[in-house]
Amino acid sequence: MDHQPLRGQRALVTGASSGIGEGVARALGAAGASVVVNFASKPDIAAKIVEEIKTSGVDAMALHADVSKEAEVEAMFSAMLSAWGQIDILVNNAGLQRDAPFVELTLEQWNTVLGVNLTGMFLCARAAARSMIRRGVRPEISRAAGKIICISSVHEVIPWAGHVNYAASKGGVGMFMKSLAQELAPHRIRVNSIAPGAIMTPINRAAWETPEALRSLLRLIPYGRVGTPADIGRAVAWLASDDADYIHGQTIYVDGGMTLYPEFAKGG
Ligand code: NAD
């Protein structure tokens, strides 16, 4: 088995200075890809991750951009393309929550979540697709002209009271990804999503921090453990590789069975 199936490819991971994005950036580096670690804050942590990725013998660099801002996204892609010439893999990972009961949800909370989780994916995918289309397929690199992977969520399909803005953004990611997959297929650009279940990261600290919270979280996970960023990193690295070349327009749930409606396991 080829342990570096992404050798020679160039990837950009948004929101890669923590949690799932960090895990994905490390996994892509271990699989042989050069990696841009995009960050919105904490440049020192991004720089440390870059140095650690480089120990796999690949190139890496940290680039700042708020993915919800068009000019910052364009500047980030220009910097990557002028340094490395091309992008082969985009992982749209940056995301956040601004939770509130619906009647108290502010327009600012709504716009912030939609702006990062959905508009951010649009801006980055558009910049990546333009470059992938221009270059086309290079069989010595990959069977596809490029791969775009969106980090969705089980809340693409599980409604989530108290998090209407977040669930709406992830439901949107589902149709965004599929429509984009339909449009970009003739260019041989593969577009898919990975939808994580409960992964231990800063975004959901309250859900696993105390033993009681962890117990109640585990009731939602048939497989009986909380996921790790490395679980998602491995899935993304495989999905980006030519081993997954015929997978297109799909959301793959990596969730320990959270979408199996575990409350029905012992009868309805
Ligand atoms: P996290 O908070 O550790 O990571 C989110 C990252 O996005 C951070 O690095 C943050 O700096 C970055 N970010 C936020 N706003 C940004 C912006 N405007 N521009 C660029 N980067 C920005 O949380 P995480 O759990 O690693 O989340 C990563 C993704 O996974 C999100 O899209 C989230 O919705 C999704 N997800 C997480 C879980 C989970 O259980 N942790 C489950 C399903 C989906």
Side-chain angles (χ1 to χ4, degrees), residues 193-254:
S193 291
I194 292 285
I199 310 298
M200 224 177 256
T201 74
I203 211 173
N204 55 7
R205 185 178 297 283
W208 48 263
E209 203 163 45
T210 66
E212 307 81 70
L214 186 60
R215 236 187 338 270
S216 99
L217 178 61
L218 286 172
R219 276 201 287 273
L220 301 175
I221 310 171
Y223 199 60
R225 72 170 174 86
V226 179
T228 64
D231 287 316
I232 304 302
R234 280 188 294 270
V236 170
W238 168 77
L239 186 55
S241 78
D242 279 0
D243 286 344
D245 187 58
Y246 209 47
I247 300 179
H248 183 60
Q250 301 301 314
T251 297
I252 298 178
Y253 290 86
V254 181

Side-chain angles (χ1 to χ4, degrees), residues 14-21 38-41 65-68 92-96 116-117 121 151-154 166 170 195-204:
T14 65
S17 62
S18 69
I20 290 173
N38 157 253
F39 64 96
S41 57
D66 175 340
V67 296
S68 68
N92 263 334
N93 164 79
L96 43 71
V116 176
N117 298 14
M121 293 209 181
I151 302 300
S152 179
S153 164
V154 289
Y166 183 82
K170 296 299 185 178
I199 310 298
M200 224 177 256
T201 74
I203 211 173
N204 55 7

Side-chain angles (χ1 to χ4, degrees), residues 168-185:
S169 75
K170 296 299 185 178
V173 169
M175 232 358 130
F176 168 74
M177 179 279 290
K178 285 185 190 172
S179 302
L180 193 58
Q182 204 179 50
E183 186 164 338
L184 296 183

